[in-house]
Amino acid sequence: MSTHDPARLPPVTARIALIASARYPIREPFPGGLEAHTAGLASRLRRRGHDVTVFGAPGSDPGLRVREMAVLPPISRAARSDVGMPPEWFLAEHHSYLELLLALSREHGRYDVVHNNSLHYLPLALADTLDAPVLTTLHTPPTPWMESAVRLGDPQRLRFAAVSAHTARAWAPTGARATVVRNGVDTAAWEYGPGGGVPVWSGRVVPEKGPVEAIRAARLAGTGLRLAGPCPDRAFFDSCVAPLLGDGVDYLGHLDHRALARLVGDATVAVVSPCWDEPYGLVVAEALACGTPIAGFARGALPEIVDPLSGVLAEPGDVEALAEAIRAASLLSRTDARRHAEATCSAEVMIDGYERLYRALAAV
């Protein structure tokens, strides 16, 4: 049962500037969890009656009514000759966020809160130029550029949410005191599935997400595995993942939301095998919403969001233990997994948390 309580909502709707990624468009199939999270956050806030302006990369879904951020203009020959010129993608992001923050600094009284849902440092560094309070959601462990901006920022102007207690603890030494608001998924879109099928692994096919470890564990468990997700590192896929495919292990490509939800809902178990300290793990929430129990490594935030009724966690990096977790998780109740998702990682629970923060910011 969801913990959503209408009595906790702000008395009036808020005007929110939601800053998203300037590099990746917000559209299906989503490039990653951050873009999926931004789309869900914007949609749910609007459904609650808030006036949300999303600032995102060109090419985003028109249905989200995204105001596209500026693209990098041509770089002069003189500038390109600078031996210290950073990568062009870095310059492009810097230009996009600098243009946006300068524009927001001129829009006095337009917004009640600026919600920085990006991974960039400029919304933190230039928060003092805005007349609305800035809330930053911390989606990752500390990064050098963002950490620098946090340490130099005005503690009275910067407010933080973290997607897990694990992530909040990681940022605490920088001075960022974060309120935990866990990511949430639309439990209507990630609907309860029948299960019974081959285990599934979903996410970006990159080394830190552990697809190789998941395949090895599934082979030891004798269950097979279906993998789905984007391949931003094609060399890794071709050299490390592709040779392990076949004989019950299949890569199905980068699926859209509906196809992925069906795949996850049909699976007996969702294998989540991070090889780094996962700040949250949106694939966990998606699987639980489908009623699919988790077999995973106990790294990062996974021990926070998986309880004994919804999954089985193994020692990080222990492939044999993960194989045992796959077998054990297949015996868990799908109803319990779904109930856990509704109570702890639904979009409604997430929006409740952000509305409480918006109301607190408005009162400052």
Side-chain angles (χ1 to χ4, degrees):
M1 180 180 296
S2 170
T3 58
H4 167 56
D5 178 3
R8 295 202 303 268
L9 302 186
V12 294
T13 58
R15 299 167 300 167
I16 304 161
L18 183 60
I19 302 177
S21 170
R23 190 186 308 185
Y24 300 113
I26 311 169
R27 66 180 311 131
E28 292 193 40
F30 293 113
L34 181 60
E35 289 73 36
H37 174 266
T38 303
L41 179 61
S43 298
R44 284 283 167 165
L45 286 170
R46 285 171 177 156
R47 199 173 301 178
R48 292 274 184 99
H50 299 288
D51 177 5
V52 182
T53 303
V54 182
F55 297 91
S60 295
D61 183 354
L64 287 171
R65 305 194 299 276
V66 174
R67 282 178 56 176
E68 295 184 352
M69 286 191 260
V71 298
L72 183 67
I75 302 172
S76 69
R77 181 177 299 179
R80 285 187 178 278
S81 68
D82 181 359
V83 295
M85 176 177 163
E88 192 154 324
W89 66 263
F90 181 92
L91 286 174
E93 285 198 338
H94 179 87
H95 180 80
S96 295
Y97 287 108
L98 181 59
E99 189 277 341
L100 170 60
L101 270 295
L102 291 174
L104 289 176
S105 70
R106 294 189 289 267
E107 296 189 25
H108 299 290
R110 171 66 181 85
Y111 299 104
D112 299 309
V113 62
V114 174
H115 187 161
N116 174 31
N117 207 42
S118 78
L119 307 179
H120 205 265
Y121 63 94
L122 278 178
L124 293 165
L126 297 180
D128 284 351
T129 68
L130 308 182
D131 67 343
V134 177
L135 171 68
T136 295
T137 295
L138 301 170
H139 290 275
T140 68
T143 57
W145 291 92
M146 285 187 67
E147 183 176 297
S148 172
V150 170
R151 290 187 183 278
L152 295 174
D154 180 355
Q156 300 305 315
R157 294 285 299 167
L158 299 178
R159 296 291 187 276
F160 298 94
V163 295
S164 64
H166 169 81
T167 301
R169 288 193 298 270
W171 279 92
T174 71
R177 293 184 295 176
T179 300
V180 175
V181 181
R182 293 191 178 94
N183 290 340
V185 298
D186 185 346
T187 52
W190 295 91
E191 60 185 358
Y192 187 88
V198 174
V200 66
W201 181 98
S202 60
R204 288 183 296 115
V205 185
V206 291
E208 63 267 26
K209 297 293 184 179
V212 170
E213 289 75 9
I215 293 171
R216 290 172 56 203
R219 288 205 182 280
L220 286 175
T223 59
L225 189 67
R226 292 174 175 169
L227 298 95
C231 293
D233 186 346
R234 195 69 204 187
F236 168 71
F237 179 86
D238 291 340
S239 63
C240 298
V241 178
L244 301 178
L245 301 178
D247 297 325
V249 177
D250 301 298
Y251 172 64
L252 305 183
H254 190 188
L255 306 180
D256 65 22
H257 173 95
R258 185 170 298 179
L260 184 59
R262 284 198 301 269
L263 176 69
V264 174
D266 287 342
T268 301
V269 173
V271 184
V272 184
S273 47
C275 294
W276 74 312
D277 288 333
E278 191 72 58
Y280 178 76
L282 200 62
V283 295
V284 175
E286 293 166 352
L288 293 178
C290 294
T292 303
I294 303 298
F297 288 145
R299 290 203 67 166
L302 263 67
E304 291 179 46
I305 54 178
V306 177
D307 71 355
L309 295 179
S310 62
V312 179
L313 298 182
E315 189 71 20
D318 189 334
V319 172
E320 291 185 1
L322 183 59
E324 289 297 326
I326 293 173
R327 298 188 191 101
S330 69
L331 303 177
L332 295 177
S333 163
R334 298 185 65 83
T335 301
D336 286 342
R338 170 72 179 193
R339 286 174 177 165
H340 185 63
E342 293 174 336
T344 64
C345 50
S346 72
E348 295 300 317
V349 172
M350 175 183 70
I351 297 302
D352 282 349
Y354 280 122
E355 285 187 321
R356 287 194 293 271
L357 284 177
Y358 296 157
R359 182 162 58 183
L361 286 172
V364 173

